Amino acid sequence: SQKIEQNSEALNIQEGKTATLTCNYTNYSPAYLQWYRQDPGRGPVFLLLIRENEKEKRKERLKVTFDTTLKQSLFHITASQPADSATYLCALAVTGGGNKLTFGTGTQLKVEL
Amino acid sequence: DGGITQSPKYLFRKEGQNVTLSCEQNLNHDAMYWYRQDPGQGLRLIYYSQIVNDFQKGDIAEGYSVSREKKESFPLTVTSAQKNPTAFYLCASRTLNTGELFFGEGSRLTVL
């Protein structure tokens, strides 16, 4: 069966450090993968999209990598700040899937002073 | 300001009652989606629509119904046939040629 897995345990890091979140998938032929941020009680907000033929994407302090051999995407936040504390969701669209997205369960990040 | 508006934000319902959640967008997006979010689970797709007067079932459509009479609007009805309706419901939209989803602020439904 097809699965998207994110670390269900919360990630606690110190301000200024780099946070790294993982998204693993099985049995998908991906077209692209997206990362979203979700604050408690709010809707997710789009952060980055990376296509299956791209290795890395950057946006300000954010970096996403995509390894289709390992079936894994890594999401990095450099110089993390308490305001980065939120839940981060990855979402995968498969080739021929009509742009339909399947979401992971999300990983909660807490950045401490 | 362009965006997606969901209402109501909080809704309480007695068992056996149908309830309709509103979703309106002024982004001129063709595609609209309804997701359900439960604690510890990812967003699960209920229904989606890529064009007016047409919609498709998602992964968990049983007990739900939708309509798409206008491009801007995609209401979701949670019927009494839905066994476990208490959840956080999210509406989203996007243009057909981009991947980015724009979400509303969500509606939290509690069945008493």
Side-chain angles (χ1 to χ4, degrees), chain B residues 23-53:
Chain B
C23 179
E24 303 277 332
Q25 55 100 358
N26 60 4
L27 299 166
N28 199 32
H29 285 169
D30 297 300
M32 297 187 74
Y33 303 79
W34 275 105
Y35 288 91
R36 170 182 172 139
Q37 188 173 35
D38 295 282
Q41 297 201 42
L43 276 65
R44 291 183 291 166
L45 183 63
I46 305 172
Y47 267 99
Y48 63 104
S49 167
Q50 300 194 80
I51 195 168
V52 174
N53 291 323

Side-chain angles (χ1 to χ4, degrees), chain B residues 29-99:
Chain B
H29 285 169
D30 297 300
M32 297 187 74
Y33 303 79
W34 275 105
Y35 288 91
R36 170 182 172 139
Q37 188 173 35
D38 295 282
Q41 297 201 42
L43 276 65
R44 291 183 291 166
L45 183 63
I46 305 172
Y47 267 99
Y48 63 104
S49 167
Q50 300 194 80
I51 195 168
V52 174
N53 291 323
D54 188 44
F55 48 82
Q56 285 78 41
K57 291 181 179 179
D59 301 316
I60 56 164
E62 186 176 349
Y64 299 98
S65 66
V66 293
S67 62
R68 187 88 185 275
E69 297 176 2
K70 297 186 299 182
K71 188 175 184 179
E72 304 79 23
S73 178
F74 192 40
L76 174 75
T77 296
V78 185
T79 75
S80 56
Q82 168 49 233
K83 300 291 182 225
N84 212 5
T86 294
F88 189 50
Y89 290 89
L90 287 160
C91 180
S93 71
R94 65 178 171 191
T95 60
L96 286 176
N97 59 358
T98 67

Side-chain angles (χ1 to χ4, degrees), chain A residues 43-71:
Chain A
V45 174
F46 171 80
L47 297 174
L48 282 167
L49 179 154
I50 186 164
R51 300 192 182 279
E52 54 87 23
N53 59 350
E54 298 175 316
K55 296 293 184 192
E56 185 179 295
K57 262 291 183 59
R58 289 175 186 262
K59 179 182 174 184
E60 297 171 351
R61 293 184 296 112
L62 308 180
K63 184 176 90 171
V64 172
T65 62
F66 198 10
D67 189 326
T68 53
T69 302
L70 290 178
K71 297 187 186 301

Side-chain angles (χ1 to χ4, degrees), chain B residues 1-5 26-27:
Chain B
D1 281 301
I4 300 183
T5 302
N26 60 4
L27 299 166

Side-chain angles (χ1 to χ4, degrees), chain B residues 3-24:
Chain B
I4 300 183
T5 302
Q6 288 187 241
S7 63
K9 190 163 178 64
Y10 299 97
L11 188 60
F12 297 89
R13 168 195 117 172
K14 291 182 181 178
E15 278 194 30
Q17 287 181 335
N18 292 353
V19 63
T20 297
L21 308 180
S22 169
C23 179
E24 303 277 332

